[in-house]
Amino acid sequence: MSKIRLWHAYVGLFSAPTILFFAFTGALQLFDLHEQHGNYQPPALIEKLGRMHKDQVFALDHHEHQSQAPTSEGKAATPPPDDDDAVSLPTQALKWFFLLVALNLVASTLLGVWIGLSHVRRKRTAWTLLVAGTLIPLGLAWL
């Protein structure tokens, strides 16, 4: 059983940075904070993080943000209506529930990192896995 706990700690430390990233960016996407709508323009970093979450690309695609792009018929497409007010109560409640779950996932992951770093005998291995789990996706995204 102790080997299973050790492997659980190592896998968790390696995966923790990505889990934190997806929990955070997923929480932002619940309320469309990564996309432009109405008068709201998301900060560039939030927009880029949303693209990373959805498309695994960190760059902004500026032509997607034009409010009236021509269609195949040559006419200007109208932007989609801002339907924030049209969201049903059960859908809104589900979004808030998922936000609560995302926050719980962040808290649980941070506690797991703390437990993994403080209760593993091989501290260097634990830190190496945590750093590798952070740097590998950052390096791949930068390429």
Side-chain angles (χ1 to χ4, degrees):
M1 192 61 146
S2 64
K3 283 193 175 208
I4 292 173
R5 281 192 205 131
L6 181 64
W7 280 103
H8 179 266
Y10 287 162
V11 169
L13 287 166
F14 182 74
S15 303
T18 300
I19 292 169
L20 291 170
F21 171 78
F22 280 116
F24 174 72
T25 56
L28 293 174
Q29 291 179 21
L30 284 169
F31 299 99
D32 295 325
L33 297 177
H34 65 295
E35 295 177 342
Q36 176 181 354
H37 49 85
N39 291 331
Y40 173 74
Q41 176 65 37
L45 180 60
I46 299 297
E47 199 170 1
K48 287 181 176 186
L49 291 176
R51 288 280 322 268
M52 178 64 76
H53 182 112
K54 289 174 57 179
D55 304 321
Q56 296 74 51
V57 176
F58 192 65
L60 288 177
D61 197 6
H62 293 290
H63 72 274
E64 289 181 8
H65 303 291
Q66 296 175 354
S67 61
Q68 293 199 354
T71 62
S72 59
E73 295 89 29
K75 299 177 186 174
T78 58
D82 194 15
D83 61 341
D84 288 338
D85 297 332
V87 176
S88 69
L89 182 60
T91 302
Q92 253 330 346
L94 193 57
K95 285 183 177 192
W96 283 98
F97 176 77
F98 286 157
L99 177 62
L100 177 65
V101 170
L103 294 174
N104 287 337
L105 182 58
V106 168
S108 177
T109 303
L110 291 174
L111 285 171
V113 168
W114 174 74
I115 291 168
L117 292 175
S118 62
H119 290 85
V120 171
R121 288 185 183 164
R122 297 179 181 159
K123 304 270 190 228
R124 178 174 281 171
T125 302
W127 277 102
T128 300
L129 288 167
L130 183 63
V131 170
T134 302
L135 294 179
I136 289 172
L138 287 175
L140 290 172
W142 190 55
L143 293 176

